[in-house]
PDB file of all heavy atoms in Angstrom:
ATOM      1  N   ILE W  62      45.220   1.670   7.698  1.00  0.00           N
ATOM      2  CA  ILE W  62      46.423   1.502   6.864  1.00  0.00           C
ATOM      3  C   ILE W  62      47.455   0.560   7.468  1.00  0.00           C
ATOM      4  O   ILE W  62      48.211  -0.080   6.761  1.00  0.00           O
ATOM      5  CB  ILE W  62      47.086   2.880   6.565  1.00  0.00           C
ATOM      6  CG1 ILE W  62      48.110   2.774   5.418  1.00  0.00           C
ATOM      7  CG2 ILE W  62      47.757   3.462   7.776  1.00  0.00           C
ATOM      8  CD1 ILE W  62      47.519   2.542   4.099  1.00  0.00           C
ATOM      9  N   HIS W  63      47.457   0.415   8.794  1.00  0.00           N
ATOM     10  CA  HIS W  63      48.487  -0.407   9.431  1.00  0.00           C
ATOM     11  C   HIS W  63      47.852  -1.281  10.495  1.00  0.00           C
ATOM     12  O   HIS W  63      47.129  -0.800  11.365  1.00  0.00           O
ATOM     13  CB  HIS W  63      49.533   0.558  10.091  1.00  0.00           C
ATOM     14  CG  HIS W  63      50.818  -0.134  10.451  1.00  0.00           C
ATOM     15  ND1 HIS W  63      50.928  -0.989  11.516  1.00  0.00           N
ATOM     16  CD2 HIS W  63      52.044  -0.077   9.862  1.00  0.00           C
ATOM     17  CE1 HIS W  63      52.171  -1.415  11.591  1.00  0.00           C
ATOM     18  NE2 HIS W  63      52.861  -0.890  10.606  1.00  0.00           N
ATOM     19  N   PRO W  64      48.151  -2.583  10.474  1.00  0.00           N
ATOM     20  CA  PRO W  64      47.494  -3.507  11.410  1.00  0.00           C
ATOM     21  C   PRO W  64      47.889  -3.317  12.865  1.00  0.00           C
ATOM     22  O   PRO W  64      47.157  -3.750  13.758  1.00  0.00           O
ATOM     23  CB  PRO W  64      47.923  -4.891  10.905  1.00  0.00           C
ATOM     24  CG  PRO W  64      49.208  -4.644  10.172  1.00  0.00           C
ATOM     25  CD  PRO W  64      49.075  -3.269   9.569  1.00  0.00           C
ATOM     26  N   SER W  65      49.003  -2.643  13.155  1.00  0.00           N
ATOM     27  CA  SER W  65      49.458  -2.456  14.514  1.00  0.00           C
ATOM     28  C   SER W  65      49.172  -1.058  15.077  1.00  0.00           C
ATOM     29  O   SER W  65      49.644  -0.730  16.170  1.00  0.00           O
ATOM     30  CB  SER W  65      50.960  -2.759  14.629  1.00  0.00           C
ATOM     31  OG  SER W  65      51.217  -4.076  14.284  1.00  0.00           O
ATOM     32  N   LEU W  66      48.427  -0.241  14.328  1.00  0.00           N
ATOM     33  CA  LEU W  66      48.133   1.104  14.786  1.00  0.00           C
ATOM     34  C   LEU W  66      46.617   1.274  14.941  1.00  0.00           C
ATOM     35  O   LEU W  66      45.830   0.678  14.194  1.00  0.00           O
ATOM     36  CB  LEU W  66      48.654   2.142  13.775  1.00  0.00           C
ATOM     37  CG  LEU W  66      50.174   2.169  13.607  1.00  0.00           C
ATOM     38  CD1 LEU W  66      50.530   3.182  12.504  1.00  0.00           C
ATOM     39  CD2 LEU W  66      50.876   2.552  14.895  1.00  0.00           C
ATOM     40  N   VAL W  67      46.250   2.090  15.877  1.00  0.00           N
ATOM     41  CA  VAL W  67      44.835   2.379  16.156  1.00  0.00           C
ATOM     42  C   VAL W  67      44.610   3.884  15.936  1.00  0.00           C
ATOM     43  O   VAL W  67      45.459   4.680  16.335  1.00  0.00           O
ATOM     44  CB  VAL W  67      44.478   2.026  17.616  1.00  0.00           C
ATOM     45  CG1 VAL W  67      43.062   2.425  17.945  1.00  0.00           C
ATOM     46  CG2 VAL W  67      44.707   0.550  17.877  1.00  0.00           C
ATOM     47  N   THR W  68      43.537   4.218  15.285  1.00  0.00           N
ATOM     48  CA  THR W  68      43.194   5.636  15.059  1.00  0.00           C
ATOM     49  C   THR W  68      42.054   6.031  15.948  1.00  0.00           C
ATOM     50  O   THR W  68      41.029   5.316  16.027  1.00  0.00           O
ATOM     51  CB  THR W  68      42.820   5.871  13.566  1.00  0.00           C
ATOM     52  OG1 THR W  68      43.915   5.502  12.749  1.00  0.00           O
ATOM     53  CG2 THR W  68      42.469   7.321  13.330  1.00  0.00           C
ATOM     54  N   ILE W  69      42.223   7.112  16.668  1.00  0.00           N
ATOM     55  CA  ILE W  69      41.128   7.663  17.479  1.00  0.00           C
ATOM     56  C   ILE W  69      40.847   9.091  16.995  1.00  0.00           C
ATOM     57  O   ILE W  69      41.735   9.798  16.537  1.00  0.00           O
ATOM     58  CB  ILE W  69      41.430   7.669  18.967  1.00  0.00           C
ATOM     59  CG1 ILE W  69      42.724   8.471  19.285  1.00  0.00           C
ATOM     60  CG2 ILE W  69      41.547   6.256  19.518  1.00  0.00           C
ATOM     61  CD1 ILE W  69      42.967   8.687  20.752  1.00  0.00           C
ATOM     62  N   SER W  70      39.582   9.478  17.091  1.00  0.00           N
ATOM     63  CA  SER W  70      39.212  10.823  16.673  1.00  0.00           C
ATOM     64  C   SER W  70      39.680  11.858  17.682  1.00  0.00           C
ATOM     65  O   SER W  70      39.839  11.544  18.866  1.00  0.00           O
ATOM     66  CB  SER W  70      37.689  10.949  16.538  1.00  0.00           C
ATOM     67  OG  SER W  70      37.240  10.077  15.525  1.00  0.00           O
ATOM     68  N   SER W  71      39.922  13.028  17.195  1.00  0.00           N
ATOM     69  CA  SER W  71      40.359  14.156  18.024  1.00  0.00           C
ATOM     70  C   SER W  71      39.218  15.154  18.152  1.00  0.00           C
ATOM     71  O   SER W  71      38.403  15.263  17.265  1.00  0.00           O
ATOM     72  CB  SER W  71      41.568  14.812  17.358  1.00  0.00           C
ATOM     73  OG  SER W  71      41.740  16.127  17.825  1.00  0.00           O
ATOM     74  N   ASP W  72      39.227  15.887  19.227  1.00  0.00           N
ATOM     75  CA  ASP W  72      38.210  16.947  19.370  1.00  0.00           C
ATOM     76  C   ASP W  72      38.815  18.303  19.019  1.00  0.00           C
ATOM     77  O   ASP W  72      38.223  19.339  19.359  1.00  0.00           O
ATOM     78  CB  ASP W  72      37.597  16.943  20.750  1.00  0.00           C
ATOM     79  CG  ASP W  72      38.576  17.226  21.869  1.00  0.00           C
ATOM     80  OD1 ASP W  72      39.812  17.349  21.562  1.00  0.00           O
ATOM     81  OD2 ASP W  72      38.173  17.283  23.020  1.00  0.00           O
ATOM     82  N   LEU W  73      39.970  18.331  18.369  1.00  0.00           N
ATOM     83  CA  LEU W  73      40.536  19.573  17.935  1.00  0.00           C
ATOM     84  C   LEU W  73      39.637  20.203  16.872  1.00  0.00           C
ATOM     85  O   LEU W  73      39.063  19.505  16.055  1.00  0.00           O
ATOM     86  CB  LEU W  73      41.941  19.377  17.323  1.00  0.00           C
ATOM     87  CG  LEU W  73      43.010  18.874  18.274  1.00  0.00           C
ATOM     88  CD1 LEU W  73      44.310  18.577  17.528  1.00  0.00           C
ATOM     89  CD2 LEU W  73      43.271  19.889  19.393  1.00  0.00           C
ATOM     90  N   ASP W  74      39.512  21.500  16.928  1.00  0.00           N
ATOM     91  CA  ASP W  74      38.592  22.223  16.051  1.00  0.00           C
ATOM     92  C   ASP W  74      39.326  22.702  14.769  1.00  0.00           C
ATOM     93  O   ASP W  74      39.432  23.887  14.530  1.00  0.00           O
ATOM     94  CB  ASP W  74      37.953  23.385  16.770  1.00  0.00           C
ATOM     95  CG  ASP W  74      36.784  23.964  16.029  1.00  0.00           C
ATOM     96  OD1 ASP W  74      36.187  23.269  15.188  1.00  0.00           O
ATOM     97  OD2 ASP W  74      36.440  25.152  16.269  1.00  0.00           O
ATOM     98  N   PHE W  75      39.809  21.739  13.980  1.00  0.00           N
ATOM     99  CA  PHE W  75      40.493  22.028  12.773  1.00  0.00           C
ATOM    100  C   PHE W  75      39.910  21.162  11.654  1.00  0.00           C
ATOM    101  O   PHE W  75      39.492  20.029  11.911  1.00  0.00           O
ATOM    102  CB  PHE W  75      41.988  21.725  12.811  1.00  0.00           C
ATOM    103  CG  PHE W  75      42.737  22.604  13.814  1.00  0.00           C
ATOM    104  CD1 PHE W  75      42.954  22.178  15.106  1.00  0.00           C
ATOM    105  CD2 PHE W  75      43.221  23.838  13.414  1.00  0.00           C
ATOM    106  CE1 PHE W  75      43.634  22.982  16.024  1.00  0.00           C
ATOM    107  CE2 PHE W  75      43.902  24.662  14.319  1.00  0.00           C
ATOM    108  CZ  PHE W  75      44.121  24.234  15.616  1.00  0.00           C
ATOM    109  N   ALA W  76      39.831  21.665  10.455  1.00  0.00           N
ATOM    110  CA  ALA W  76      39.309  20.916   9.315  1.00  0.00           C
ATOM    111  C   ALA W  76      40.337  20.965   8.184  1.00  0.00           C
ATOM    112  O   ALA W  76      40.870  22.032   7.875  1.00  0.00           O
ATOM    113  CB  ALA W  76      37.987  21.491   8.842  1.00  0.00           C
ATOM    114  N   VAL W  77      40.624  19.804   7.606  1.00  0.00           N
ATOM    115  CA  VAL W  77      41.578  19.699   6.524  1.00  0.00           C
ATOM    116  C   VAL W  77      40.786  19.531   5.225  1.00  0.00           C
ATOM    117  O   VAL W  77      40.013  18.589   5.092  1.00  0.00           O
ATOM    118  CB  VAL W  77      42.521  18.515   6.716  1.00  0.00           C
ATOM    119  CG1 VAL W  77      43.475  18.394   5.536  1.00  0.00           C
ATOM    120  CG2 VAL W  77      43.292  18.648   8.021  1.00  0.00           C
ATOM    121  N   PRO W  78      40.961  20.453   4.269  1.00  0.00           N
ATOM    122  CA  PRO W  78      40.236  20.328   3.013  1.00  0.00           C
ATOM    123  C   PRO W  78      40.776  19.151   2.187  1.00  0.00           C
ATOM    124  O   PRO W  78      41.977  18.853   2.241  1.00  0.00           O
ATOM    125  CB  PRO W  78      40.496  21.641   2.312  1.00  0.00           C
ATOM    126  CG  PRO W  78      41.768  22.159   2.900  1.00  0.00           C
ATOM    127  CD  PRO W  78      41.818  21.621   4.318  1.00  0.00           C
ATOM    128  N   TYR W  79      39.871  18.531   1.477  1.00  0.00           N
ATOM    129  CA  TYR W  79      40.246  17.439   0.535  1.00  0.00           C
ATOM    130  C   TYR W  79      40.046  17.909  -0.877  1.00  0.00           C
ATOM    131  O   TYR W  79      39.279  18.862  -1.125  1.00  0.00           O
ATOM    132  CB  TYR W  79      39.361  16.217   0.770  1.00  0.00           C
ATOM    133  CG  TYR W  79      39.813  15.299   1.859  1.00  0.00           C
ATOM    134  CD1 TYR W  79      39.430  15.469   3.172  1.00  0.00           C
ATOM    135  CD2 TYR W  79      40.660  14.244   1.575  1.00  0.00           C
ATOM    136  CE1 TYR W  79      39.855  14.622   4.165  1.00  0.00           C
ATOM    137  CE2 TYR W  79      41.091  13.359   2.542  1.00  0.00           C
ATOM    138  CZ  TYR W  79      40.698  13.585   3.848  1.00  0.00           C
ATOM    139  OH  TYR W  79      41.103  12.694   4.827  1.00  0.00           O
ATOM    140  N   GLY W  80      40.640  17.256  -1.775  1.00  0.00           N
ATOM    141  CA  GLY W  80      40.430  17.583  -3.194  1.00  0.00           C
ATOM    142  C   GLY W  80      40.874  16.431  -4.068  1.00  0.00           C
ATOM    143  O   GLY W  80      41.344  15.395  -3.560  1.00  0.00           O
ATOM    144  N   LEU W  81      40.658  16.551  -5.332  1.00  0.00           N
ATOM    145  CA  LEU W  81      41.042  15.555  -6.295  1.00  0.00           C
ATOM    146  C   LEU W  81      42.125  16.147  -7.237  1.00  0.00           C
ATOM    147  O   LEU W  81      42.003  17.301  -7.615  1.00  0.00           O
ATOM    148  CB  LEU W  81      39.840  15.095  -7.146  1.00  0.00           C
ATOM    149  CG  LEU W  81      38.697  14.470  -6.399  1.00  0.00           C
ATOM    150  CD1 LEU W  81      37.530  14.195  -7.343  1.00  0.00           C
ATOM    151  CD2 LEU W  81      39.158  13.152  -5.776  1.00  0.00           C
ATOM    152  N   ILE W  82      43.056  15.357  -7.582  1.00  0.00           N
ATOM    153  CA  ILE W  82      44.037  15.742  -8.586  1.00  0.00           C
ATOM    154  C   ILE W  82      43.823  14.865  -9.767  1.00  0.00           C
ATOM    155  O   ILE W  82      43.750  13.601  -9.622  1.00  0.00           O
ATOM    156  CB  ILE W  82      45.498  15.577  -8.001  1.00  0.00           C
ATOM    157  CG1 ILE W  82      45.714  16.512  -6.848  1.00  0.00           C
ATOM    158  CG2 ILE W  82      46.506  15.853  -9.121  1.00  0.00           C
ATOM    159  CD1 ILE W  82      47.061  16.333  -6.155  1.00  0.00           C
ATOM    160  N   TYR W  83      43.741  15.485 -10.906  1.00  0.00           N
ATOM    161  CA  TYR W  83      43.541  14.680 -12.150  1.00  0.00           C
ATOM    162  C   TYR W  83      44.206  15.400 -13.291  1.00  0.00           C
ATOM    163  O   TYR W  83      44.562  16.561 -13.212  1.00  0.00           O
ATOM    164  CB  TYR W  83      42.062  14.454 -12.424  1.00  0.00           C
ATOM    165  CG  TYR W  83      41.252  15.697 -12.521  1.00  0.00           C
ATOM    166  CD1 TYR W  83      41.058  16.317 -13.761  1.00  0.00           C
ATOM    167  CD2 TYR W  83      40.651  16.290 -11.412  1.00  0.00           C
ATOM    168  CE1 TYR W  83      40.291  17.488 -13.862  1.00  0.00           C
ATOM    169  CE2 TYR W  83      39.895  17.442 -11.509  1.00  0.00           C
ATOM    170  CZ  TYR W  83      39.726  18.033 -12.745  1.00  0.00           C
ATOM    171  OH  TYR W  83      38.974  19.193 -12.838  1.00  0.00           O
ATOM    172  N   PRO W  84      44.413  14.680 -14.390  1.00  0.00           N
ATOM    173  CA  PRO W  84      45.138  15.253 -15.560  1.00  0.00           C
ATOM    174  C   PRO W  84      44.396  16.475 -16.110  1.00  0.00           C
ATOM    175  O   PRO W  84      43.148  16.556 -16.056  1.00  0.00           O
ATOM    176  CB  PRO W  84      45.147  14.159 -16.611  1.00  0.00           C
ATOM    177  CG  PRO W  84      44.935  12.903 -15.832  1.00  0.00           C
ATOM    178  CD  PRO W  84      44.093  13.264 -14.662  1.00  0.00           C
ATOM    179  N   LEU W  85      45.136  17.444 -16.616  1.00  0.00           N
ATOM    180  CA  LEU W  85      44.575  18.622 -17.247  1.00  0.00           C
ATOM    181  C   LEU W  85      43.599  18.253 -18.370  1.00  0.00           C
ATOM    182  O   LEU W  85      42.577  18.870 -18.557  1.00  0.00           O
ATOM    183  CB  LEU W  85      45.700  19.514 -17.789  1.00  0.00           C
ATOM    184  CG  LEU W  85      45.325  20.843 -18.389  1.00  0.00           C
ATOM    185  CD1 LEU W  85      44.563  21.706 -17.354  1.00  0.00           C
ATOM    186  CD2 LEU W  85      46.549  21.566 -18.905  1.00  0.00           C
ATOM    187  N   HIS W  86      43.933  17.203 -19.090  1.00  0.00           N
ATOM    188  CA  HIS W  86      43.064  16.680 -20.146  1.00  0.00           C
ATOM    189  C   HIS W  86      42.695  15.214 -19.791  1.00  0.00           C
ATOM    190  O   HIS W  86      43.322  14.294 -20.306  1.00  0.00           O
ATOM    191  CB  HIS W  86      43.791  16.722 -21.516  1.00  0.00           C
ATOM    192  CG  HIS W  86      44.276  18.106 -21.855  1.00  0.00           C
ATOM    193  ND1 HIS W  86      43.431  19.134 -22.210  1.00  0.00           N
ATOM    194  CD2 HIS W  86      45.539  18.678 -21.850  1.00  0.00           C
ATOM    195  CE1 HIS W  86      44.107  20.240 -22.386  1.00  0.00           C
ATOM    196  NE2 HIS W  86      45.399  19.980 -22.171  1.00  0.00           N
ATOM    197  N   PRO W  87      41.689  15.046 -18.922  1.00  0.00           N
ATOM    198  CA  PRO W  87      41.362  13.713 -18.464  1.00  0.00           C
ATOM    199  C   PRO W  87      40.749  12.837 -19.544  1.00  0.00           C
ATOM    200  O   PRO W  87      40.146  13.326 -20.521  1.00  0.00           O
ATOM    201  CB  PRO W  87      40.353  13.969 -17.357  1.00  0.00           C
ATOM    202  CG  PRO W  87      39.724  15.294 -17.682  1.00  0.00           C
ATOM    203  CD  PRO W  87      40.835  16.079 -18.368  1.00  0.00           C
ATOM    204  N   SER W  88      40.890  11.525 -19.320  1.00  0.00           N
ATOM    205  CA  SER W  88      40.267  10.572 -20.250  1.00  0.00           C
ATOM    206  C   SER W  88      38.748  10.663 -20.106  1.00  0.00           C
ATOM    207  O   SER W  88      38.217  11.272 -19.156  1.00  0.00           O
ATOM    208  CB  SER W  88      40.715   9.152 -19.904  1.00  0.00           C
ATOM    209  OG  SER W  88      40.226   8.767 -18.615  1.00  0.00           O
ATOM    210  N   LYS W  89      38.018  10.031 -21.010  1.00  0.00           N
ATOM    211  CA  LYS W  89      36.575  10.017 -20.935  1.00  0.00           C
ATOM    212  C   LYS W  89      36.089   9.435 -19.616  1.00  0.00           C
ATOM    213  O   LYS W  89      35.178   9.943 -18.969  1.00  0.00           O
ATOM    214  CB  LYS W  89      36.011   9.199 -22.120  1.00  0.00           C
ATOM    215  CG  LYS W  89      34.520   9.104 -22.142  1.00  0.00           C
ATOM    216  CD  LYS W  89      34.050   8.267 -23.303  1.00  0.00           C
ATOM    217  CE  LYS W  89      32.566   8.010 -23.235  1.00  0.00           C
ATOM    218  NZ  LYS W  89      32.092   7.067 -24.247  1.00  0.00           N
ATOM    219  N   GLU W  90      36.712   8.330 -19.189  1.00  0.00           N
ATOM    220  CA  GLU W  90      36.336   7.664 -17.937  1.00  0.00           C
ATOM    221  C   GLU W  90      36.540   8.564 -16.728  1.00  0.00           C
ATOM    222  O   GLU W  90      35.710   8.643 -15.843  1.00  0.00           O
ATOM    223  CB  GLU W  90      37.077   6.349 -17.798  1.00  0.00           C
ATOM    224  CG  GLU W  90      36.746   5.293 -18.804  1.00  0.00           C
ATOM    225  CD  GLU W  90      37.425   5.481 -20.154  1.00  0.00           C
ATOM    226  OE1 GLU W  90      38.349   6.311 -20.251  1.00  0.00           O
ATOM    227  OE2 GLU W  90      37.051   4.786 -21.088  1.00  0.00           O
ATOM    228  N   VAL W  91      37.691   9.234 -16.703  1.00  0.00           N
ATOM    229  CA  VAL W  91      37.982  10.151 -15.584  1.00  0.00           C
ATOM    230  C   VAL W  91      36.968  11.316 -15.613  1.00  0.00           C
ATOM    231  O   VAL W  91      36.470  11.713 -14.585  1.00  0.00           O
ATOM    232  CB  VAL W  91      39.428  10.663 -15.634  1.00  0.00           C
ATOM    233  CG1 VAL W  91      39.655  11.768 -14.617  1.00  0.00           C
ATOM    234  CG2 VAL W  91      40.409   9.514 -15.372  1.00  0.00           C
ATOM    235  N   GLY W  92      36.668  11.812 -16.799  1.00  0.00           N
ATOM    236  CA  GLY W  92      35.652  12.872 -16.927  1.00  0.00           C
ATOM    237  C   GLY W  92      34.318  12.456 -16.392  1.00  0.00           C
ATOM    238  O   GLY W  92      33.648  13.218 -15.682  1.00  0.00           O
ATOM    239  N   GLN W  93      33.917  11.214 -16.687  1.00  0.00           N
ATOM    240  CA  GLN W  93      32.625  10.707 -16.192  1.00  0.00           C
ATOM    241  C   GLN W  93      32.674  10.601 -14.660  1.00  0.00           C
ATOM    242  O   GLN W  93      31.706  10.949 -13.982  1.00  0.00           O
ATOM    243  CB  GLN W  93      32.332   9.341 -16.817  1.00  0.00           C
ATOM    244  CG  GLN W  93      31.990   9.420 -18.284  1.00  0.00           C
ATOM    245  CD  GLN W  93      31.892   8.051 -18.937  1.00  0.00           C
ATOM    246  OE1 GLN W  93      32.421   7.060 -18.425  1.00  0.00           O
ATOM    247  NE2 GLN W  93      31.210   7.992 -20.094  1.00  0.00           N
TER     248      GLN W  93
END
Side-chain angles (χ1 to χ4, degrees):
I62 195 72
H63 196 286
S65 298
L66 298 175
V67 176
T68 300
I69 57 171
S70 296
S71 159
D72 62 357
L73 294 175
D74 192 22
F75 295 94
V77 178
Y79 275 89
L81 298 174
I82 297 175
Y83 57 91
L85 184 59
H86 304 288
S88 67
K89 178 181 172 187
E90 294 79 12
V91 170
Q93 290 172 339

